[in-house]
PDB file of all heavy atoms in Angstrom:
ATOM      1  N   LYS A 302      -3.964 200.102   1.679  1.00 97.00           N
ATOM      2  CA  LYS A 302      -3.403 201.350   1.156  1.00 97.00           C
ATOM      3  C   LYS A 302      -2.641 201.061  -0.140  1.00 97.00           C
ATOM      4  O   LYS A 302      -1.541 200.508  -0.098  1.00 97.00           O
ATOM      5  CB  LYS A 302      -2.480 201.955   2.212  1.00 97.00           C
ATOM      6  CG  LYS A 302      -1.949 203.336   1.883  1.00 97.00           C
ATOM      7  CD  LYS A 302      -1.073 203.829   3.028  1.00 97.00           C
ATOM      8  CE  LYS A 302      -0.723 205.292   2.860  1.00 97.00           C
ATOM      9  NZ  LYS A 302       0.082 205.593   1.678  1.00 97.00           N
ATOM     10  N   LEU A 312      -5.227 207.610   4.758  1.00 97.00           N
ATOM     11  CA  LEU A 312      -4.550 207.173   5.984  1.00 97.00           C
ATOM     12  C   LEU A 312      -4.684 208.227   7.080  1.00 97.00           C
ATOM     13  O   LEU A 312      -4.934 207.906   8.244  1.00 97.00           O
ATOM     14  CB  LEU A 312      -3.076 206.900   5.687  1.00 97.00           C
ATOM     15  CG  LEU A 312      -2.214 206.486   6.877  1.00 97.00           C
ATOM     16  CD1 LEU A 312      -1.637 205.079   6.679  1.00 97.00           C
ATOM     17  CD2 LEU A 312      -1.049 207.441   7.070  1.00 97.00           C
ATOM     18  N   PHE A 316      -6.228 207.663  10.759  1.00 98.00           N
ATOM     19  CA  PHE A 316      -5.472 207.929  11.988  1.00 98.00           C
ATOM     20  C   PHE A 316      -6.234 208.889  12.910  1.00 98.00           C
ATOM     21  O   PHE A 316      -6.279 208.701  14.117  1.00 98.00           O
ATOM     22  CB  PHE A 316      -4.094 208.517  11.647  1.00 98.00           C
ATOM     23  CG  PHE A 316      -3.047 207.481  11.293  1.00 98.00           C
ATOM     24  CD1 PHE A 316      -1.781 207.884  10.853  1.00 98.00           C
ATOM     25  CD2 PHE A 316      -3.294 206.116  11.391  1.00 98.00           C
ATOM     26  CE1 PHE A 316      -0.794 206.955  10.526  1.00 98.00           C
ATOM     27  CE2 PHE A 316      -2.323 205.173  11.066  1.00 98.00           C
ATOM     28  CZ  PHE A 316      -1.061 205.596  10.638  1.00 98.00           C
ATOM     29  N   VAL A 326      -4.200 200.933  16.629  1.00 98.00           N
ATOM     30  CA  VAL A 326      -3.808 200.837  15.220  1.00 98.00           C
ATOM     31  C   VAL A 326      -2.714 199.782  15.088  1.00 98.00           C
ATOM     32  O   VAL A 326      -1.766 199.758  15.878  1.00 98.00           O
ATOM     33  CB  VAL A 326      -3.303 202.200  14.688  1.00 98.00           C
ATOM     34  CG1 VAL A 326      -2.956 202.118  13.215  1.00 98.00           C
ATOM     35  CG2 VAL A 326      -4.353 203.290  14.927  1.00 98.00           C
ATOM     36  N   ALA A 327      -2.856 198.910  14.088  1.00 98.00           N
ATOM     37  CA  ALA A 327      -1.830 197.893  13.807  1.00 98.00           C
ATOM     38  C   ALA A 327      -0.676 198.573  13.079  1.00 98.00           C
ATOM     39  O   ALA A 327      -0.721 198.765  11.866  1.00 98.00           O
ATOM     40  CB  ALA A 327      -2.428 196.775  12.959  1.00 98.00           C
ATOM     41  N   LEU A 328       0.335 198.969  13.827  1.00 97.00           N
ATOM     42  CA  LEU A 328       1.431 199.760  13.259  1.00 97.00           C
ATOM     43  C   LEU A 328       2.638 198.886  12.920  1.00 97.00           C
ATOM     44  O   LEU A 328       2.840 197.833  13.515  1.00 97.00           O
ATOM     45  CB  LEU A 328       1.850 200.847  14.259  1.00 97.00           C
ATOM     46  CG  LEU A 328       0.806 201.945  14.494  1.00 97.00           C
ATOM     47  CD1 LEU A 328       1.159 202.767  15.722  1.00 97.00           C
ATOM     48  CD2 LEU A 328       0.671 202.853  13.265  1.00 97.00           C
ATOM     49  N   PRO A 329       3.456 199.346  11.954  1.00 97.00           N
ATOM     50  CA  PRO A 329       4.647 198.583  11.566  1.00 97.00           C
ATOM     51  C   PRO A 329       5.615 198.418  12.747  1.00 97.00           C
ATOM     52  O   PRO A 329       5.841 199.358  13.512  1.00 97.00           O
ATOM     53  CB  PRO A 329       5.277 199.437  10.464  1.00 97.00           C
ATOM     54  CG  PRO A 329       4.160 200.297   9.949  1.00 97.00           C
ATOM     55  CD  PRO A 329       3.287 200.549  11.129  1.00 97.00           C
ATOM     56  N   LEU A 333      10.324 200.258  10.979  1.00 94.00           N
ATOM     57  CA  LEU A 333       9.665 200.316   9.667  1.00 94.00           C
ATOM     58  C   LEU A 333       8.466 201.270   9.658  1.00 94.00           C
ATOM     59  O   LEU A 333       7.850 201.518  10.693  1.00 94.00           O
ATOM     60  CB  LEU A 333       9.199 198.921   9.233  1.00 94.00           C
ATOM     61  CG  LEU A 333      10.303 197.906   8.901  1.00 94.00           C
ATOM     62  CD1 LEU A 333       9.699 196.558   8.578  1.00 94.00           C
ATOM     63  CD2 LEU A 333      11.172 198.399   7.735  1.00 94.00           C
ATOM     64  N   PHE A 334       8.147 201.776   8.449  1.00 94.00           N
ATOM     65  CA  PHE A 334       6.984 202.654   8.285  1.00 94.00           C
ATOM     66  C   PHE A 334       5.899 201.990   7.436  1.00 94.00           C
ATOM     67  O   PHE A 334       4.866 202.566   7.180  1.00 94.00           O
ATOM     68  CB  PHE A 334       7.401 203.994   7.665  1.00 94.00           C
ATOM     69  CG  PHE A 334       8.085 204.892   8.666  1.00 94.00           C
ATOM     70  CD1 PHE A 334       9.458 204.843   8.835  1.00 94.00           C
ATOM     71  CD2 PHE A 334       7.345 205.753   9.465  1.00 94.00           C
ATOM     72  CE1 PHE A 334      10.090 205.652   9.775  1.00 94.00           C
ATOM     73  CE2 PHE A 334       7.966 206.561  10.410  1.00 94.00           C
ATOM     74  CZ  PHE A 334       9.335 206.508  10.565  1.00 94.00           C
ATOM     75  N   HIS A 335       6.195 200.760   6.960  1.00 96.00           N
ATOM     76  CA  HIS A 335       5.177 200.006   6.214  1.00 96.00           C
ATOM     77  C   HIS A 335       5.139 198.600   6.801  1.00 96.00           C
ATOM     78  O   HIS A 335       6.069 198.180   7.516  1.00 96.00           O
ATOM     79  CB  HIS A 335       5.516 199.966   4.724  1.00 96.00           C
ATOM     80  CG  HIS A 335       6.928 199.544   4.450  1.00 96.00           C
ATOM     81  ND1 HIS A 335       7.376 198.256   4.689  1.00 96.00           N
ATOM     82  CD2 HIS A 335       8.005 200.245   4.012  1.00 96.00           C
ATOM     83  CE1 HIS A 335       8.656 198.172   4.387  1.00 96.00           C
ATOM     84  NE2 HIS A 335       9.085 199.361   3.984  1.00 96.00           N
ATOM     85  N   CYS A 361      -3.965 200.318   8.395  1.00 98.00           N
ATOM     86  CA  CYS A 361      -4.018 201.130   7.173  1.00 98.00           C
ATOM     87  C   CYS A 361      -2.658 201.513   6.592  1.00 98.00           C
ATOM     88  O   CYS A 361      -2.612 202.226   5.605  1.00 98.00           O
ATOM     89  CB  CYS A 361      -4.873 202.379   7.387  1.00 98.00           C
ATOM     90  SG  CYS A 361      -4.345 203.412   8.754  1.00 98.00           S
ATOM     91  N   ASN A 362      -1.553 201.049   7.171  1.00 97.00           N
ATOM     92  CA  ASN A 362      -0.251 201.346   6.567  1.00 97.00           C
ATOM     93  C   ASN A 362      -0.022 200.425   5.369  1.00 97.00           C
ATOM     94  O   ASN A 362      -0.644 199.380   5.259  1.00 97.00           O
ATOM     95  CB  ASN A 362       0.868 201.167   7.594  1.00 97.00           C
ATOM     96  CG  ASN A 362       0.884 202.286   8.624  1.00 97.00           C
ATOM     97  OD1 ASN A 362       0.075 202.291   9.543  1.00 97.00           O
ATOM     98  ND2 ASN A 362       1.781 203.249   8.463  1.00 97.00           N
ATOM     99  N   VAL A 615      -0.355 216.887   9.002  1.00 94.00           N
ATOM    100  CA  VAL A 615       0.881 216.154   9.328  1.00 94.00           C
ATOM    101  C   VAL A 615       1.092 215.014   8.332  1.00 94.00           C
ATOM    102  O   VAL A 615       0.189 214.239   8.050  1.00 94.00           O
ATOM    103  CB  VAL A 615       0.865 215.656  10.792  1.00 94.00           C
ATOM    104  CG1 VAL A 615      -0.154 214.550  11.010  1.00 94.00           C
ATOM    105  CG2 VAL A 615       2.252 215.182  11.208  1.00 94.00           C
ATOM    106  N   PRO A 616       2.295 214.924   7.742  1.00 93.00           N
ATOM    107  CA  PRO A 616       2.543 213.869   6.749  1.00 93.00           C
ATOM    108  C   PRO A 616       2.518 212.471   7.376  1.00 93.00           C
ATOM    109  O   PRO A 616       2.668 212.299   8.585  1.00 93.00           O
ATOM    110  CB  PRO A 616       3.936 214.215   6.207  1.00 93.00           C
ATOM    111  CG  PRO A 616       4.139 215.659   6.556  1.00 93.00           C
ATOM    112  CD  PRO A 616       3.422 215.852   7.852  1.00 93.00           C
ATOM    113  N   GLU A 617       2.371 211.518   6.494  1.00 93.00           N
ATOM    114  CA  GLU A 617       2.186 210.106   6.868  1.00 93.00           C
ATOM    115  C   GLU A 617       3.263 209.561   7.807  1.00 93.00           C
ATOM    116  O   GLU A 617       2.961 208.926   8.811  1.00 93.00           O
ATOM    117  CB  GLU A 617       2.179 209.319   5.557  1.00 93.00           C
ATOM    118  CG  GLU A 617       1.977 207.859   5.658  1.00 93.00           C
ATOM    119  CD  GLU A 617       1.959 207.215   4.276  1.00 93.00           C
ATOM    120  OE1 GLU A 617       1.501 207.844   3.293  1.00 93.00           O
ATOM    121  OE2 GLU A 617       2.410 206.075   4.186  1.00 93.00           O
ATOM    122  N   LEU A 618       4.533 209.794   7.479  1.00 93.00           N
ATOM    123  CA  LEU A 618       5.617 209.209   8.285  1.00 93.00           C
ATOM    124  C   LEU A 618       5.626 209.795   9.695  1.00 93.00           C
ATOM    125  O   LEU A 618       5.804 209.077  10.678  1.00 93.00           O
ATOM    126  CB  LEU A 618       6.983 209.426   7.616  1.00 93.00           C
ATOM    127  CG  LEU A 618       7.153 208.850   6.208  1.00 93.00           C
ATOM    128  CD1 LEU A 618       8.587 209.012   5.726  1.00 93.00           C
ATOM    129  CD2 LEU A 618       6.746 207.378   6.138  1.00 93.00           C
ATOM    130  N   GLN A 619       5.416 211.120   9.780  1.00 93.00           N
ATOM    131  CA  GLN A 619       5.389 211.762  11.094  1.00 93.00           C
ATOM    132  C   GLN A 619       4.205 211.272  11.935  1.00 93.00           C
ATOM    133  O   GLN A 619       4.333 211.038  13.126  1.00 93.00           O
ATOM    134  CB  GLN A 619       5.315 213.291  10.950  1.00 93.00           C
ATOM    135  CG  GLN A 619       6.624 213.926  10.496  1.00 93.00           C
ATOM    136  CD  GLN A 619       6.714 214.096   8.997  1.00 93.00           C
ATOM    137  OE1 GLN A 619       6.458 213.156   8.242  1.00 93.00           O
ATOM    138  NE2 GLN A 619       7.083 215.283   8.543  1.00 93.00           N
ATOM    139  N   TYR A 620       3.058 211.101  11.292  1.00 95.00           N
ATOM    140  CA  TYR A 620       1.859 210.660  12.034  1.00 95.00           C
ATOM    141  C   TYR A 620       2.038 209.218  12.511  1.00 95.00           C
ATOM    142  O   TYR A 620       1.723 208.875  13.660  1.00 95.00           O
ATOM    143  CB  TYR A 620       0.606 210.779  11.151  1.00 95.00           C
ATOM    144  CG  TYR A 620      -0.665 211.109  11.911  1.00 95.00           C
ATOM    145  CD1 TYR A 620      -1.709 211.803  11.293  1.00 95.00           C
ATOM    146  CD2 TYR A 620      -0.842 210.728  13.249  1.00 95.00           C
ATOM    147  CE1 TYR A 620      -2.881 212.119  11.983  1.00 95.00           C
ATOM    148  CE2 TYR A 620      -2.013 211.033  13.943  1.00 95.00           C
ATOM    149  CZ  TYR A 620      -3.027 211.728  13.303  1.00 95.00           C
ATOM    150  OH  TYR A 620      -4.189 212.030  13.989  1.00 95.00           O
ATOM    151  N   THR A 621       2.600 208.370  11.638  1.00 95.00           N
ATOM    152  CA  THR A 621       2.854 206.972  12.019  1.00 95.00           C
ATOM    153  C   THR A 621       3.795 206.929  13.215  1.00 95.00           C
ATOM    154  O   THR A 621       3.572 206.196  14.186  1.00 95.00           O
ATOM    155  CB  THR A 621       3.473 206.191  10.828  1.00 95.00           C
ATOM    156  OG1 THR A 621       2.559 206.228   9.726  1.00 95.00           O
ATOM    157  CG2 THR A 621       3.753 204.743  11.183  1.00 95.00           C
ATOM    158  N   SER A 622       4.839 207.743  13.136  1.00 94.00           N
ATOM    159  CA  SER A 622       5.844 207.804  14.200  1.00 94.00           C
ATOM    160  C   SER A 622       5.220 208.264  15.525  1.00 94.00           C
ATOM    161  O   SER A 622       5.482 207.693  16.588  1.00 94.00           O
ATOM    162  CB  SER A 622       6.954 208.760  13.770  1.00 94.00           C
ATOM    163  OG  SER A 622       7.938 208.832  14.754  1.00 94.00           O
ATOM    164  N   TYR A 623       4.378 209.285  15.437  1.00 93.00           N
ATOM    165  CA  TYR A 623       3.707 209.826  16.630  1.00 93.00           C
ATOM    166  C   TYR A 623       2.789 208.779  17.271  1.00 93.00           C
ATOM    167  O   TYR A 623       2.837 208.536  18.479  1.00 93.00           O
ATOM    168  CB  TYR A 623       2.911 211.079  16.254  1.00 93.00           C
ATOM    169  CG  TYR A 623       1.870 211.468  17.271  1.00 93.00           C
ATOM    170  CD1 TYR A 623       2.232 212.000  18.515  1.00 93.00           C
ATOM    171  CD2 TYR A 623       0.521 211.282  17.008  1.00 93.00           C
ATOM    172  CE1 TYR A 623       1.264 212.334  19.458  1.00 93.00           C
ATOM    173  CE2 TYR A 623      -0.449 211.613  17.941  1.00 93.00           C
ATOM    174  CZ  TYR A 623      -0.073 212.135  19.162  1.00 93.00           C
ATOM    175  OH  TYR A 623      -1.033 212.462  20.094  1.00 93.00           O
ATOM    176  N   LEU A 624       1.941 208.127  16.450  1.00 95.00           N
ATOM    177  CA  LEU A 624       1.020 207.115  16.986  1.00 95.00           C
ATOM    178  C   LEU A 624       1.786 205.945  17.602  1.00 95.00           C
ATOM    179  O   LEU A 624       1.368 205.369  18.602  1.00 95.00           O
ATOM    180  CB  LEU A 624       0.081 206.592  15.888  1.00 95.00           C
ATOM    181  CG  LEU A 624      -1.109 207.458  15.514  1.00 95.00           C
ATOM    182  CD1 LEU A 624      -2.002 206.724  14.507  1.00 95.00           C
ATOM    183  CD2 LEU A 624      -1.956 207.845  16.722  1.00 95.00           C
ATOM    184  N   TYR A 625       2.902 205.612  16.994  1.00 95.00           N
ATOM    185  CA  TYR A 625       3.747 204.527  17.511  1.00 95.00           C
ATOM    186  C   TYR A 625       4.234 204.868  18.921  1.00 95.00           C
ATOM    187  O   TYR A 625       4.208 204.035  19.827  1.00 95.00           O
ATOM    188  CB  TYR A 625       4.923 204.316  16.561  1.00 95.00           C
ATOM    189  CG  TYR A 625       5.830 203.156  16.924  1.00 95.00           C
ATOM    190  CD1 TYR A 625       5.523 201.862  16.504  1.00 95.00           C
ATOM    191  CD2 TYR A 625       6.988 203.355  17.678  1.00 95.00           C
ATOM    192  CE1 TYR A 625       6.357 200.785  16.826  1.00 95.00           C
ATOM    193  CE2 TYR A 625       7.821 202.296  18.013  1.00 95.00           C
ATOM    194  CZ  TYR A 625       7.503 201.015  17.589  1.00 95.00           C
ATOM    195  OH  TYR A 625       8.324 199.957  17.919  1.00 95.00           O
ATOM    196  N   THR A 626       4.669 206.119  19.101  1.00 93.00           N
ATOM    197  CA  THR A 626       5.157 206.570  20.407  1.00 93.00           C
ATOM    198  C   THR A 626       4.036 206.543  21.451  1.00 93.00           C
ATOM    199  O   THR A 626       4.251 206.164  22.597  1.00 93.00           O
ATOM    200  CB  THR A 626       5.734 208.006  20.287  1.00 93.00           C
ATOM    201  OG1 THR A 626       6.718 207.993  19.249  1.00 93.00           O
ATOM    202  CG2 THR A 626       6.382 208.474  21.569  1.00 93.00           C
ATOM    203  N   VAL A 627       2.828 206.933  21.034  1.00 94.00           N
ATOM    204  CA  VAL A 627       1.673 206.942  21.944  1.00 94.00           C
ATOM    205  C   VAL A 627       1.283 205.513  22.333  1.00 94.00           C
ATOM    206  O   VAL A 627       1.051 205.207  23.502  1.00 94.00           O
ATOM    207  CB  VAL A 627       0.467 207.670  21.292  1.00 94.00           C
ATOM    208  CG1 VAL A 627      -0.801 207.487  22.105  1.00 94.00           C
ATOM    209  CG2 VAL A 627       0.775 209.150  21.128  1.00 94.00           C
ATOM    210  N   GLN A 628       1.222 204.616  21.330  1.00 95.00           N
ATOM    211  CA  GLN A 628       0.766 203.244  21.579  1.00 95.00           C
ATOM    212  C   GLN A 628       1.821 202.349  22.218  1.00 95.00           C
ATOM    213  O   GLN A 628       1.496 201.412  22.936  1.00 95.00           O
ATOM    214  CB  GLN A 628       0.314 202.584  20.265  1.00 95.00           C
ATOM    215  CG  GLN A 628      -1.103 202.905  19.912  1.00 95.00           C
ATOM    216  CD  GLN A 628      -1.625 202.078  18.735  1.00 95.00           C
ATOM    217  OE1 GLN A 628      -2.582 202.468  18.124  1.00 95.00           O
ATOM    218  NE2 GLN A 628      -1.010 200.952  18.412  1.00 95.00           N
ATOM    219  N   HIS A 629       3.081 202.647  21.923  1.00 95.00           N
ATOM    220  CA  HIS A 629       4.172 201.791  22.432  1.00 95.00           C
ATOM    221  C   HIS A 629       5.208 202.674  23.128  1.00 95.00           C
ATOM    222  O   HIS A 629       6.343 202.783  22.665  1.00 95.00           O
ATOM    223  CB  HIS A 629       4.805 201.000  21.282  1.00 95.00           C
ATOM    224  CG  HIS A 629       3.803 200.248  20.461  1.00 95.00           C
ATOM    225  ND1 HIS A 629       3.185 199.101  20.895  1.00 95.00           N
ATOM    226  CD2 HIS A 629       3.279 200.513  19.231  1.00 95.00           C
ATOM    227  CE1 HIS A 629       2.336 198.676  19.972  1.00 95.00           C
ATOM    228  NE2 HIS A 629       2.372 199.512  18.956  1.00 95.00           N
ATOM    229  N   LYS A 635      10.532 205.611  16.522  1.00 91.00           N
ATOM    230  CA  LYS A 635      10.939 205.454  15.114  1.00 91.00           C
ATOM    231  C   LYS A 635      11.840 206.624  14.737  1.00 91.00           C
ATOM    232  O   LYS A 635      11.500 207.774  14.997  1.00 91.00           O
ATOM    233  CB  LYS A 635       9.705 205.414  14.202  1.00 91.00           C
ATOM    234  CG  LYS A 635       8.918 204.109  14.323  1.00 91.00           C
ATOM    235  CD  LYS A 635       7.851 204.010  13.268  1.00 91.00           C
ATOM    236  CE  LYS A 635       6.924 202.829  13.485  1.00 91.00           C
ATOM    237  NZ  LYS A 635       7.532 201.509  13.241  1.00 91.00           N
ATOM    238  N   LEU A 637      13.058 209.280  12.592  1.00 81.00           N
ATOM    239  CA  LEU A 637      12.567 210.019  11.429  1.00 81.00           C
ATOM    240  C   LEU A 637      13.528 211.108  10.997  1.00 81.00           C
ATOM    241  O   LEU A 637      13.535 211.540   9.865  1.00 81.00           O
ATOM    242  CB  LEU A 637      11.226 210.670  11.803  1.00 81.00           C
ATOM    243  CG  LEU A 637       9.990 210.374  10.962  1.00 81.00           C
ATOM    244  CD1 LEU A 637       8.831 211.201  11.464  1.00 81.00           C
ATOM    245  CD2 LEU A 637      10.207 210.644   9.493  1.00 81.00           C
ATOM    246  N   LEU A 641       8.435 216.006  15.838  1.00 66.00           N
ATOM    247  CA  LEU A 641       6.993 215.867  15.628  1.00 66.00           C
ATOM    248  C   LEU A 641       6.343 217.205  15.894  1.00 66.00           C
ATOM    249  O   LEU A 641       6.702 217.906  16.832  1.00 66.00           O
ATOM    250  CB  LEU A 641       6.415 214.802  16.574  1.00 66.00           C
ATOM    251  CG  LEU A 641       6.887 213.379  16.288  1.00 66.00           C
ATOM    252  CD1 LEU A 641       6.324 212.411  17.309  1.00 66.00           C
ATOM    253  CD2 LEU A 641       6.476 212.934  14.893  1.00 66.00           C
ATOM    254  N   TRP A 643       3.644 218.406  17.261  1.00 60.00           N
ATOM    255  CA  TRP A 643       3.058 218.825  18.537  1.00 60.00           C
ATOM    256  C   TRP A 643       3.895 218.449  19.731  1.00 60.00           C
ATOM    257  O   TRP A 643       3.467 218.488  20.854  1.00 60.00           O
ATOM    258  CB  TRP A 643       1.639 218.280  18.684  1.00 60.00           C
ATOM    259  CG  TRP A 643       1.479 216.887  18.197  1.00 60.00           C
ATOM    260  CD1 TRP A 643       1.820 215.748  18.845  1.00 60.00           C
ATOM    261  CD2 TRP A 643       0.955 216.498  16.937  1.00 60.00           C
ATOM    262  NE1 TRP A 643       1.556 214.669  18.068  1.00 60.00           N
ATOM    263  CE2 TRP A 643       1.009 215.086  16.895  1.00 60.00           C
ATOM    264  CE3 TRP A 643       0.442 217.188  15.843  1.00 60.00           C
ATOM    265  CZ2 TRP A 643       0.575 214.360  15.790  1.00 60.00           C
ATOM    266  CZ3 TRP A 643       0.015 216.466  14.761  1.00 60.00           C
ATOM    267  CH2 TRP A 643       0.073 215.073  14.728  1.00 60.00           C
TER     268      TRP A 643
END
Side-chain angles (χ1 to χ4, degrees):
K302 187 179 190 296
L312 178 118
F316 277 175
V326 183
L328 292 166
L333 292 176
F334 284 90
H335 50 69
C361 56
N362 287 78
V615 69
E617 181 179 327
L618 301 186
Q619 286 93 311
Y620 212 152
T621 300
S622 181
Y623 162 71
L624 281 185
Y625 184 85
T626 306
V627 170
Q628 275 189 200
H629 308 286
K635 288 189 188 290
L637 236 184
L641 293 177
W643 40 80

